[in-house]
Amino acid sequence: MSSRRTVRQLVVAVLVGILVGGGLMAVTPAGAEVSSALATNWKKIWKKEIRPRADKRYYTKKQSDGKYQPKGSYETAGSGYTKAETYSKAEADSKYQPKGNYALDGSSYTKAEIDAKLAPLVNSVAATAGGDQSLDLTPADQVARSVSLMPPANGSVIVSSSAYILGSVAGHTRCSITTGTSLDGAALQIVTPGASAFQSISGTRGFAVTKGALFTVNLVCDESTGEASLGDSSLTAIFAPS
C-alpha cells in the first residue's frame, strides 16, 4: 500500500507543479512575455511584415550571382584568361622588362647613347653682336660686326644680320654675311638709298661647321656708288646640330 501511495503522490505533485507554473506564466508579466514569445510565429512575421519592407536597392543572392560572376566562374564564362593563357613569371619578365633591365636586351637606349644624343641639344650655343652704331662706309670693304662660337658637335650655324643705311649721296650700298673680310659675291645684300633717306638692309645665311673648330663670321659692307653710312647693325649666329 505504501508504494502505491508514493507513486500517486509523485504524479499529483508533478501535475500541481505544471498547473502552478502555467498559471504563473499567464499571470506574471515576465511569464506572459515568455509565453507570448513562444507563441509568436517569426517565420510568418518575416514573410508578411519584415520582408516586404526590405530595401529594394539590395540584390538577392540569386540576382547577385547572375549579375556578378561567382568565384571560379571566370574560366568558364569566357570573359577572362585561363591559367594556361596567362604568362608565367619567367615569361612575363622576358616580355615586360623589369626595373633596371632596360639596357640588357638591346631594345632600349643605354645611358651613354642617350647622353650622346642629348649632348648637342644640351650644349647648343649662340653668339650675337649689336648696339648703337654709326659707321661711315667707303668704296673699300669694312667689317661692321663680327661674332665667334665653338661648335659642340658637327652641324650648322645659322647667321642673321640687320642694319639701316642713311644715304647722303644717292648710290648703291652693299653688305654680305661672310667668314672672310671681303664681300661674298654669292651672298650680297644691296639697297639704293636716296640723299638724306633711310633704308633697311638684312639677310640670313647658313654655314656647315665642325665640332671643336672655332667658327667666326662677319658682316662686311661697302658703298659701291654714292655716299652712305651704316647704323645700328646686328649680327647673330646660332648653332644647330646635324
Side-chain angles (χ1 to χ4, degrees):
M1 291 295 290
S2 62
S3 62
R4 288 182 180 179
R5 186 178 298 170
T6 302
V7 172
R8 187 180 299 165
Q9 289 174 347
L10 289 174
V11 172
V12 171
V14 170
L15 291 174
V16 171
I18 291 173
L19 291 173
V20 172
L24 289 173
M25 291 287 286
V27 174
T28 64
E33 290 180 7
V34 173
S35 178
S36 176
L38 291 175
T40 300
N41 188 336
W42 290 106
K43 186 175 182 180
K44 185 176 181 181
I45 292 174
W46 163 253
K47 287 185 176 180
K48 292 189 175 183
E49 301 293 336
I50 300 176
R51 188 172 182 177
R53 294 180 173 83
D55 195 333
K56 299 300 183 181
R57 291 175 299 174
Y58 297 106
Y59 290 118
T60 63
K61 182 179 184 300
K62 185 176 181 180
Q63 290 172 327
S64 296
D65 290 346
K67 192 172 183 66
Y68 306 103
Q69 296 180 3
K71 183 179 180 182
S73 67
Y74 60 90
E75 291 186 2
T76 59
S79 61
Y81 290 107
T82 65
K83 184 177 180 181
E85 292 173 326
T86 58
Y87 291 113
S88 66
K89 182 179 184 299
E91 290 171 331
D93 287 346
S94 64
K95 189 173 182 66
Y96 305 105
Q97 298 176 7
K99 184 179 180 182
N101 195 38
Y102 60 90
L104 300 180
D105 66 353
S107 64
S108 301
Y109 289 113
T110 64
K111 182 179 183 299
E113 290 171 332
I114 294 174
D115 289 345
K117 287 183 174 296
L118 292 178
L121 300 177
V122 174
N123 298 321
S124 293
V125 294
T128 185
D132 185 45
Q133 182 184 39
S134 180
L135 176 66
D136 289 331
L137 298 176
T138 66
D141 296 343
Q142 296 185 71
V143 175
R145 295 290 185 187
S146 181
V147 293
S148 298
L149 58 78
M150 182 66 72
N154 294 341
S156 300
V157 173
I158 308 303
V159 185
S160 298
S161 68
S162 64
Y164 71 81
I165 303 297
L166 173 59
S168 56
V169 176
H172 300 299
T173 300
R174 305 180 299 177
C175 289
S176 179
I177 297 172
T178 177
T179 55
T181 57
S182 300
L183 288 172
D184 186 342
L188 288 175
Q189 307 167 26
I190 302 176
V191 295
T192 307
S196 301
F198 290 92
Q199 194 163 347
S200 62
I201 188 169
S202 61
T204 301
R205 193 176 182 186
F207 299 87
V209 294
T210 303
K211 178 181 179 180
L214 182 66
F215 173 77
T216 300
V217 65
N218 303 310
L219 175 63
V220 177
C221 299
D222 76 354
E223 50 186 24
S224 176
T225 60
E227 293 183 5
S229 63
L230 178 143
D232 298 349
S233 66
S234 178
L235 187 64
T236 300
I238 302 175
F239 168 76
S242 58

